[in-house]
Amino acid sequence: MIISNFKSIAILFLSVLSLSFQAQTRKVITLKENWKFQKGIIENAQNITFDDAKWQKVSVPHDWAIYGPFDKEIDKQNVAITQNGEKIPTEKTGRTGSLPHIGTAWYRNEFSLSTIETSKKIMLLFEGAMSEPEVFINGKKVGEWKYGYSYFYFDISENIIEGKNTIAVKLTNKEFASRWYPGAGLYRNVRLIIKNQESIAQWGTFITTPFVTDSLAKINIKTRINSDKGFVKTTIFDAEGKTLISKESSTIFGHEFEQNIPLENPTLWSPETPYLYTAKTEYFVNNKLSDEITTRFGVRKIEFTREKGFVLNGEITKFKGVCLHHDLGPLGTAINIAALKRQMIILKDMGVNAIRSSHNMPSFEQLELADDMGFLFLAESFDEWKKPKVENGYNRFFDEYAEKDIVNLVRATRNHPSIVMWSSGNEVPDQWGTEGVKRAKWLQDIFHTEDPTRPVTVGMDQVKAVMESGFGAIMDIPGLNYRVHLYEEAYEKFPQGFILGSETASTVSSRGIYKFPVEKGSMKQYDDFQSSSYDLEYCSWSNLPEDDFILQDDKPWVIGEFVWTGFDYLGEPTPYDEKWPSRSSYFGMIDLAGIPKDRYYLYRSRWNTKAETLHILPHWNWEGREGEKTPVFVYTNYESAELFVNGKSQGIQKKIKNGNPQERYRLLWNDVIYEPGILKVVAFDKNGKAIAEKEMKTAGKPHKIVLETDRKTIKSNGEDLSFVTVSVVDKNGIPCPTATNQLQFEVTGKGTFRAACNGDATSLELFHLPTMKLFSGKLVVLVKSTKEAGKIELKVSGKGLKKGIIELEAVLND
């Protein structure tokens, strides 16, 4: 179900919300509050009479494992990571975040239905349940699913009674079932849908725009119903809610109506102008309104051609994309709109125009935001097919569930204009051999049957194998994961005429950490288990950003890239898979707390062409390095700049197209001698005129705590969040980039402390406790609203530091 306007995203997720699109036709109840939760194997927990009084009371979405503690024994395993090219098993820790996600748990809740409601069709929708959910209504099992990332629903009309009804959900997470932190629990929303018996089918509308010009667009609307009579009326509204056109249709093909509606002078959807229309579909039986839904959609034309690559609305468009896992850092996998939106605002500022959901179905909320904010979307389905990557992975369910999971993915999300591609898999071992080719074709055909308007890709890492077997040749979009040295050969052998970098770079770094000597290195390790933020370190299978930049810029047949990854995520701590403590990734341009690393600005200098980027690294606090070479890099959209140390010029550097790839995209001063003071860079325009400058100063001892929030006003809905970045400065107000002070957090007023995160992949401090150490001088505190409007105050204190205080406000919902 897709909601009619952006404001309704916020309204939708109120506690135990009841949305009524038409009081007499359909009601949606979000089962959010009053859940009872208990981990463990529990007999008879599905029964109505079961006593859950001592169970924990939680709200859903909920991730039971994010509260820790971190423990290396949880996911310790002896394995060779084949994706990393390993052949000999070794002991690994932290691969799934070292959080206690393994085991069985139960959720219970109650809902009440009136006499009239019990006569209707009642659907129970799960948007994500990790994992292998078994669902019971009033003690009877109504169904089960297997894939923890899938959306699924059951018709529970025959199982409900008038008055109080009991829902129970059993979830089971097996060990060795994931390659990253999967989360645990009912981590996305659960909804009841109450409608008439003769009604529109679940995810029953499909809106496409098969003909688009500046003056006219054809809007094709297919509406599936669970009847064979009546008629539909569709009304289209513009973004302001103004009625544009309305059309009725009484011709039914089986259980489906099809309408073609002309739309004059359409405003086209794109990342630059994410304009959305709304279609209201009304279904009438015996001239009486029986059901009604609203669907947001965009008018846009997508093409993939040999001559031009990806074309959006007639314009050649390169994917400036990132891959994202589904966890939200310190919140775990429990979906939260404020956290998602903050991520996407940060990505938008970097110049990102595309997101790949890695390696699973995206949340409905993320797609809603992508539509609203203007992100192209590559919606992925699986990380594993028939051949296993991990012992208890999706391979166990592939034969029975793959088609059902794809059908649900497509039908649930196909009206999102942001989605321009599907992915049926990522680095599947099935890339080898003829059976894998057949599976790839079978899966691609399912996508085409459900949605003939979008192409399908697979993230392929075994490039030699897929060139030889024909696997790569049958894909709509040949997606290569890394293997930059094989792009030319793949382009020559594949028939499509273009290549997508479906996964690129895998450069690793730790925010604010710099290692000497400064040199390129693969799988480099240090005693502190951090990676250097000079952005010259990568993994055994991957490469530096510039290797991809050159392909994007010099090869018109490379249609874009999806960088691994936009944000750090829990699990996969390469290159420290064998080291403890390391429990989250180093791949992100942005750390787990949502604080940009240096690499963020390297990509921003290329991708965000409308804004100035002038970023200096490293920091300039190097006590003990006086007199030693300390290279300085500048990431900027300007072509040249001059560097000064305490007023002494270090020379002018220019970007050089031929030669060292780093010199084409970075300004490098490799022979700077460190001395405390002021590091200054002056950038020049194309005519050699000074146009911008930036300074970095050596800081003294930490003196004062400084707080800065992404939003001072949040909604009093019990869910909204303010993300407060905490840093320390010296007595002159200069940021202290190496500070590691232990801080304490206190929230008073109409808000609560929700979590904290410092972005340190080796930290074992729990996110939900109100204390944490700074990492490289910063951390982030999450403040959550209550359901009352009013002032909120956050106080942050630390020994020997002047306290930081910030006032926020929670306001009533619009």
Side-chain angles (χ1 to χ4, degrees):
M1 180 186 60
I2 298 178
I3 308 306
S4 60
N5 55 55
F6 183 68
K7 288 184 179 179
S8 58
I9 297 176
I11 299 171
L12 179 60
F13 301 100
L14 294 176
S15 302
V16 195
L17 173 70
S18 174
L19 276 184
S20 180
F21 296 100
Q22 287 284 336
Q24 73 271 31
T25 61
R26 175 180 287 239
K27 181 162 70 171
V28 179
I29 301 171
T30 302
L31 298 174
K32 186 166 289 293
E33 302 293 350
N34 301 315
W35 285 91
K36 293 293 190 69
F37 165 77
Q38 184 63 48
K39 192 173 179 182
I41 298 173
I42 304 168
E43 295 294 327
N44 302 316
Q46 73 274 20
N47 292 343
I48 298 175
T49 56
F50 183 85
D51 184 5
D52 58 16
K54 294 183 179 180
W55 286 18
Q56 181 184 358
K57 189 175 180 181
V58 299
S59 61
V60 167
H62 177 248
D63 178 355
W64 83 59
I66 194 61
Y67 299 97
F70 296 104
D71 185 346
K72 69 175 292 185
E73 299 300 321
I74 288 170
D75 56 8
K76 185 172 71 175
Q77 51 188 292
N78 198 58
V79 65
I81 304 175
T82 56
Q83 288 73 39
N84 296 6
E86 297 178 359
K87 299 185 184 304
I88 301 173
T90 57
E91 183 179 288
K92 305 293 196 301
T93 62
R95 290 202 72 203
T96 52
S98 296
L99 287 162
H101 71 281
I102 297 166
T104 298
W106 284 85
Y107 290 84
R108 286 171 54 89
N109 206 343
E110 295 176 347
F111 58 91
S112 293
L113 297 173
S114 67
T115 303
I116 294 176
E117 288 171 332
T118 59
S119 68
K120 293 179 178 289
K121 181 178 285 294
I122 308 213
M123 317 296 289
L124 181 60
L125 170 65
F126 291 83
E127 297 175 10
M130 192 63 68
S131 57
E132 302 184 39
E134 299 176 57
V135 181
F136 303 84
I137 298 293
N138 296 326
K140 295 181 180 179
K141 186 173 181 177
V142 296
E144 65 181 24
W145 212 261
K146 295 299 182 183
Y147 194 31
Y149 294 106
S150 194
Y151 336 115
F152 61 94
Y153 60 92
F154 301 119
D155 186 337
I156 60 170
S157 306
E158 301 300 318
N159 305 93
I160 51 90
I161 57 177
E162 181 182 352
K164 185 173 68 176
N165 290 263
T166 300
I167 176 174
V169 184
K170 178 185 178 183
L171 297 170
T172 303
N173 277 0
K174 288 183 169 59
E175 63 179 356
F176 313 140
S178 179
R179 295 192 299 119
W180 56 86
Y181 175 67
L186 296 176
Y187 68 102
R188 293 177 181 168
N189 281 298
V190 180
R191 307 189 200 278
L192 278 175
I193 302 167
I194 304 170
K195 58 183 183 176
N196 290 324
Q197 294 292 341
E198 294 178 312
S199 54
I200 299 168
Q202 181 67 23
W203 306 320
T205 59
F206 185 19
I207 301 178
T208 60
T209 55
F211 178 83
V212 178
T213 68
D214 291 340
S215 59
L216 183 67
K218 179 168 77 171
I219 314 301
N220 179 268
I221 304 177
K222 295 181 176 67
T223 305
R224 283 188 302 112
I225 58 171
N226 52 26
S227 179
D228 59 359
K229 57 187 174 183
F231 68 92
V232 294
K233 176 183 177 182
T234 298
T235 305
I236 295 177
F237 303 89
D238 67 12
E240 287 72 45
K242 177 183 176 183
T243 301
L244 299 178
I245 190 169
S246 186
K247 185 176 181 178
E248 293 185 5
S249 176
S250 59
T251 303
I252 186 168
F253 302 91
H255 291 272
E256 185 176 86
F257 294 96
E258 182 169 3
Q259 299 172 289
N260 287 297
I261 302 176
L263 183 63
E264 295 183 352
N265 303 314
T267 301
L268 304 189
W269 185 97
S270 72
E272 295 75 27
T273 57
Y275 191 91
L276 294 169
Y277 293 91
T278 299
K280 180 173 71 172
T281 302
E282 298 171 291
Y283 172 49
F284 293 85
V285 178
N286 298 325
N287 291 317
K288 181 180 178 182
L289 183 65
S290 188
D291 198 7
E292 175 185 331
I293 62 171
T294 57
T295 308
R296 297 194 315 164
F297 69 96
V299 178
R300 52 105 175 107
K301 183 179 181 181
I302 60 171
E303 303 169 273
F304 291 83
T305 71
R306 292 180 60 86
E307 297 76 20
K308 297 181 179 180
F310 176 56
V311 181
L312 176 65
N313 300 330
E315 298 288 332
I316 296 175
T317 302
K318 290 250 187 179
F319 292 101
K320 300 181 289 185
V322 298
C323 301
L324 290 182
H325 267 310
H326 71 305
D327 77 65
L328 294 170
L331 297 176
T333 60
I335 205 68
N336 181 278
I337 291 174
L340 277 171
K341 188 172 183 180
R342 173 181 178 249
Q343 278 194 343
M344 294 167 82
I345 289 171
I346 293 169
L347 292 174
K348 200 76 172 179
D349 179 68
M350 188 167 58
V352 171
N353 71 359
I355 293 171
R356 174 190 180 209
S357 62
S358 309
H359 304 288
N360 46 262
M361 288 78 167
S363 68
F364 295 165
E365 293 86 347
Q366 187 179 39
L367 292 173
E368 290 280 351
L369 288 167
D371 291 345
D372 281 298
M373 298 175 69
F375 287 91
L376 305 167
F377 215 96
L378 170 50
E380 196 152 79
S381 50
F382 310 122
D383 186 51
E384 192 176 276
W385 293 350
K386 182 70 171 179
K387 292 186 177 180
K389 289 184 185 179
V390 291
E391 181 180 334
N392 290 315
Y394 188 74
N395 66 89
R396 296 178 293 143
F397 316 127
F398 181 82
D399 288 339
E400 181 181 359
Y401 275 88
E403 182 171 5
K404 293 188 287 188
D405 285 330
I406 289 175
V407 168
N408 281 7
L409 165 65
V410 176
R411 291 185 181 179
T413 65
R414 61 190 174 185
N415 292 317
H416 290 281
S418 54
I419 297 178
V420 295
M421 266 188 289
W422 306 107
S423 169
S424 60
N426 170 70
E427 297 182 359
V428 293
D430 313 65
Q431 290 168 91
W432 298 90
T434 57
E435 286 303 312
V437 179
K438 294 174 184 176
R439 287 186 193 114
K441 180 67 165 58
W442 176 66
L443 293 170
Q444 184 166 266
D445 286 347
I446 298 170
F447 277 105
H448 288 168
T449 298
E450 293 298 320
D451 175 17
T453 72
R454 295 178 177 94
V456 181
T457 189
V458 168
M460 301 180 293
D461 63 331
Q462 301 301 319
V463 181
K464 285 286 189 181
V466 299
M467 285 193 286
E468 293 170 4
S469 68
F471 187 112
I474 68 166
M475 299 308 305
D476 297 331
I477 308 292
L480 300 193
N481 286 10
Y482 317 106
R483 313 301 190 264
V484 291
H485 62 289
L486 294 174
Y487 267 52
E488 291 274 6
E489 184 179 355
Y491 171 63
E492 291 298 325
K493 290 190 175 181
F494 290 157
Q496 295 90 342
F498 51 81
I499 298 289
L500 171 69
S502 46
E503 194 166 311
T504 63
S506 271
T507 307
V508 291
S509 62
S510 303
R511 177 181 55 79
I513 302 296
Y514 306 92
K515 301 298 185 180
F516 303 96
V518 178
E519 55 190 11
K520 295 181 186 178
S522 172
M523 303 298 285
K524 294 202 72 172
Q525 296 186 351
Y526 304 93
D527 291 342
D528 61 357
F529 303 159
Q530 304 291 352
S531 295
S532 178
S533 203
Y534 272 106
D535 300 323
L536 291 173
E537 297 176 5
Y538 52 96
C539 300
S540 56
W541 68 88
S542 63
N543 51 270
L544 296 179
E546 287 83 1
D547 299 326
D548 295 301
F549 294 171
I550 290 169
L551 286 167
Q552 306 297 322
D553 291 345
D554 294 355
K555 308 295 182 182
W557 42 266
V558 178
I559 63 174
E561 66 173 318
F562 289 86
V563 180
W564 193 265
T565 53
F567 284 74
D568 279 339
Y569 55 93
L570 291 162
E572 286 195 304
T574 311
Y576 294 105
D577 303 278
E578 301 171 7
K579 306 295 183 180
W580 179 257
S582 279
R583 46 70 172 157
S584 60
S585 77
Y586 299 78
F587 299 115
M589 303 119 141
I590 304 149
D591 74 13
L592 198 70
I595 303 173
K597 303 179 187 179
D598 292 296
R599 198 162 9 111
Y600 174 95
Y601 299 96
L602 178 60
Y603 283 90
R604 189 180 191 271
S605 69
R606 278 192 79 242
W607 285 353
N608 187 349
T609 56
K610 295 181 180 179
E612 176 184 281
T613 299
L614 189 58
H615 177 77
I616 310 171
L617 65 126
H619 60 71
W620 212 235
N621 270 58
W622 293 109
E623 184 177 356
R625 285 193 61 82
E626 290 82 359
E628 294 188 46
K629 283 186 179 180
T630 306
V632 175
F633 294 0
V634 170
Y635 298 158
T636 181
N637 56 314
Y638 299 113
E639 293 300 307
S640 64
E642 186 173 9
L643 183 72
F644 299 85
V645 177
N646 293 328
K648 294 177 289 189
S649 176
Q650 307 297 302
I652 295 174
Q653 293 291 341
K654 298 180 180 180
K655 293 178 183 176
I656 303 170
K657 184 171 183 178
N658 299 315
N660 179 349
Q662 279 65 56
E663 292 179 338
R664 181 170 174 177
Y665 299 97
R666 318 184 197 197
L667 298 178
L668 311 177
W669 288 264
N670 288 315
D671 297 322
V672 176
I673 303 299
Y674 174 70
E675 59 180 65
I678 300 175
L679 192 65
K680 178 180 177 180
V681 66
V682 178
F684 305 110
D685 64 16
K686 292 181 180 179
N687 299 317
K689 180 182 178 182
I691 193 171
E693 63 179 54
K694 188 83 172 280
E695 283 188 348
M696 184 181 291
K697 298 179 180 180
T698 304
K701 292 181 179 180
H703 173 70
K704 177 184 177 182
I705 296 170
V706 176
L707 307 182
E708 183 180 358
T709 182
D710 66 329
R711 294 187 301 154
K712 278 205 165 187
T713 301
I714 58 177
K715 295 178 179 178
S716 57
N717 58 10
E719 296 180 6
D720 206 3
L721 297 170
S722 177
F723 290 79
V724 181
T725 300
V726 181
S727 57
V728 295
V729 298
D730 68 8
K731 62 182 180 181
N732 296 315
I734 301 170
C736 301
T738 62
T740 58
N741 304 67
Q742 187 79 40
L743 303 181
Q744 289 79 39
F745 322 119
E746 180 185 0
V747 178
T748 56
K750 306 303 182 181
T752 60
F753 169 78
R754 177 61 182 86
C757 185
N758 60 15
D760 180 1
T762 71
S763 173
L764 301 182
E765 293 185 277
L766 300 181
F767 300 126
H768 67 285
L769 298 182
T771 180
M772 186 167 283
K773 282 185 178 181
L774 293 164
F775 177 65
S776 293
K778 292 185 177 182
L779 57 78
V780 172
V781 174
L782 287 64
V783 177
K784 187 177 78 165
S785 67
T786 64
K787 293 181 181 178
E788 295 182 77
K791 302 294 183 184
I792 305 170
E793 186 177 80
L794 168 65
K795 295 179 182 178
V796 181
S797 58
K799 187 176 180 180
L801 297 173
K802 187 176 179 181
K803 185 180 298 184
I805 300 175
I806 192 169
E807 189 174 270
L808 311 171
E809 185 172 8
V811 298
L812 295 174
N813 291 308
D814 295 340

